[in-house]
Amino acid sequence: MTGSRSAALRRARSAALIGLAVAASAGCSGGDGTNGEAGAEPIARPPGVHSWTGRPCDLLTDAPPAEGFSLGSTTDSASPDIREDVGKDGARPRYRQTGCLADLKGSDGTFWKLSATARVYEDPEPARHAYRVKQDLDRAHGRGPEKVHDTAYALPADDRGRPGRTLLLWNGDLVLTVSAYAPHGSTEREVRKNLERIIRNAARRMENGLRDQDAPSPSPTP
């Protein structure tokens, strides 16, 4: 099992390094229109080892979710119980889940919503498989996944008429889903830029906060 985990980590690191180069190139070109603010930083990082936390909302409170927004009330939804996933070839990989639901307030007084859910698996390969399965399902249902980099994609979302965006990210043993929703009456075209800034900032902070900085970095593929 140690050998298969090491091989999976090497493959994941190689994929993420490619994604990091692509995302960094896009950031330098100014293609996302964020003019260098925090949300413009590429969220692709070499794979790491992540830990579960019982206070996931704390990871989002160190800075505003995006320029012009403030974080309101938050609710942790963190269960320490180990769950089983439906894995490849009938395997039952185990993971623990943690998440945060937060209210956001725009500079104009409007109310937005943010949710983030992190699954931390015992090994990286089941996390990769879960990410790929979700991506295939979204593609099959015509939800139009939009590639962010090799291990992340975004797609439109909706919450009872509120336009939103969802970002799904895989990094090592972590599968992270972040969604943001604009106020009722908004149009997707009007709010898309802010939604993208919010979900990218939140994803970066959650991944950084859950990463075990003391764990050894996976070796790159030879």
Side-chain angles (χ1 to χ4, degrees):
M1 179 175 290
T2 300
S4 62
R5 174 167 181 160
S6 297
L9 286 170
R10 287 196 299 270
R11 290 194 299 269
R13 180 180 174 87
S14 178
L17 285 172
I18 294 171
L20 179 59
V22 172
S25 175
C28 290
S29 67
D32 63 359
T34 51
N35 297 321
E37 71 170 277
E41 295 179 13
I43 57 174
R45 295 184 65 190
V49 176
H50 301 83
S51 299
W52 179 89
T53 176
R55 300 181 62 87
C57 291
D58 287 354
L59 305 179
L60 302 175
T61 59
D62 59 340
E67 184 179 354
F69 288 85
S70 58
L71 193 68
S73 61
T74 61
T75 304
D76 290 315
S77 58
S79 170
D81 297 333
I82 294 177
R83 305 185 186 189
E84 288 188 344
D85 203 352
V86 178
K88 189 176 181 180
D89 299 327
R92 306 293 297 187
R94 305 198 305 173
Y95 68 93
R96 292 201 293 176
Q97 183 166 302
T98 189
C100 177
L101 179 64
D103 292 324
L104 308 179
K105 187 176 182 180
S107 58
D108 58 356
T110 55
F111 289 95
W112 301 51
K113 186 166 69 174
L114 169 68
S115 67
T117 301
R119 288 186 173 189
V120 180
Y121 286 78
E122 293 185 339
D123 294 290
E125 181 57 28
R128 185 199 69 82
H129 178 71
Y131 169 82
R132 297 300 184 196
V133 168
K134 182 63 168 63
Q135 186 179 40
D136 289 344
L137 286 173
D138 285 332
R139 185 178 293 117
H141 286 89
R143 288 192 277 264
E146 301 167 16
K147 183 177 179 179
V148 175
H149 54 73
D150 282 352
T151 58
Y153 68 90
L155 67 164
D158 181 87
D159 178 33
R160 291 173 290 184
R162 300 175 65 170
R165 297 282 290 171
T166 292
L167 176 71
L168 195 73
L169 166 71
W170 163 54
N171 186 297
D173 55 4
L174 173 71
V175 177
L176 178 62
T177 304
V178 180
S179 298
Y181 302 94
H184 285 288
S186 305
T187 66
E188 195 275 341
R189 182 176 181 180
E190 293 172 336
V191 299
R192 175 166 175 165
K193 180 179 177 181
N194 281 332
L195 290 172
E196 289 180 343
R197 291 161 58 205
I198 291 168
I199 60 175
R200 289 189 181 218
N201 276 336
R204 178 172 52 84
R205 290 172 189 162
M206 288 289 287
E207 197 280 322
N208 284 346
L210 294 172
R211 181 176 286 245
D212 185 351
Q213 304 295 337
D214 295 328
S217 298
S219 301
T221 302

